Amino acid sequence: MASIKSKKGNGFTLIELLVSVTIFAIVLGVIGSIFMTGFQSQRRSLAFGTIFDQASFLMEYQSRSLRMARKELAAPACLSQNGLNYELTRSGRGVKFINSQNVCQEFYWDVSTNRLKENKGGAEQYLTASNSEVVAFNINLAGESQTDDRQPRVTFFLNLRNRGSRAESQPSLLIQTSVSQRKLDFQL
């Protein structure tokens, strides 16, 4: 009698195939998750870089302008009275002063658009980009009058946030700084 050899198939069994597909799906899911996390982190970093650049520009521009402000000495043309260095406007959401070129200048928060604006000699322009919004802009003055014995100082706080549809593309930045007027404020 001839022995019959059973010929084993060279294919995979159904269980081996299911295990292989499951392992492949898990590996693919992990790699996809890592990729999406990296993509979201990059989006968040770019959004933060944009808001940081904008806040840096705003703080430098406003600080330089406020530092070089001049006292109102002529009949009140810009500020409400003579002897003032700075004046709060728009219910404390703005500050007005005479800049180094003797032009009336104002920085303020336009609450209708949630953007910072500048009024310089009657010409208005936005200081913040349309893709960002101001959440808060607070101003505190000290020594703004000639009758006090303090050096004029403006402290302002800015909360700036990116506008975006996703939470990761809406980073916010909180900045506070104080600026003292460059010229000494005293009477002889």
Side-chain angles (χ1 to χ4, degrees), residues 160-172:
L160 194 61
R161 173 174 68 193
N162 255 2
R163 294 182 190 200
S165 57
R166 295 187 173 141
E168 70 267 5
S169 63
Q170 294 181 351
S172 67

Side-chain angles (χ1 to χ4, degrees), residues 161-188:
R161 173 174 68 193
N162 255 2
R163 294 182 190 200
S165 57
R166 295 187 173 141
E168 70 267 5
S169 63
Q170 294 181 351
S172 67
L173 191 60
L174 307 168
I175 297 178
Q176 178 177 327
T177 190
S178 293
V179 179
S180 179
Q181 192 172 13
R182 181 169 277 181
K183 290 186 175 188
L184 291 178
D185 185 34
F186 61 90
Q187 284 183 327
L188 296 175

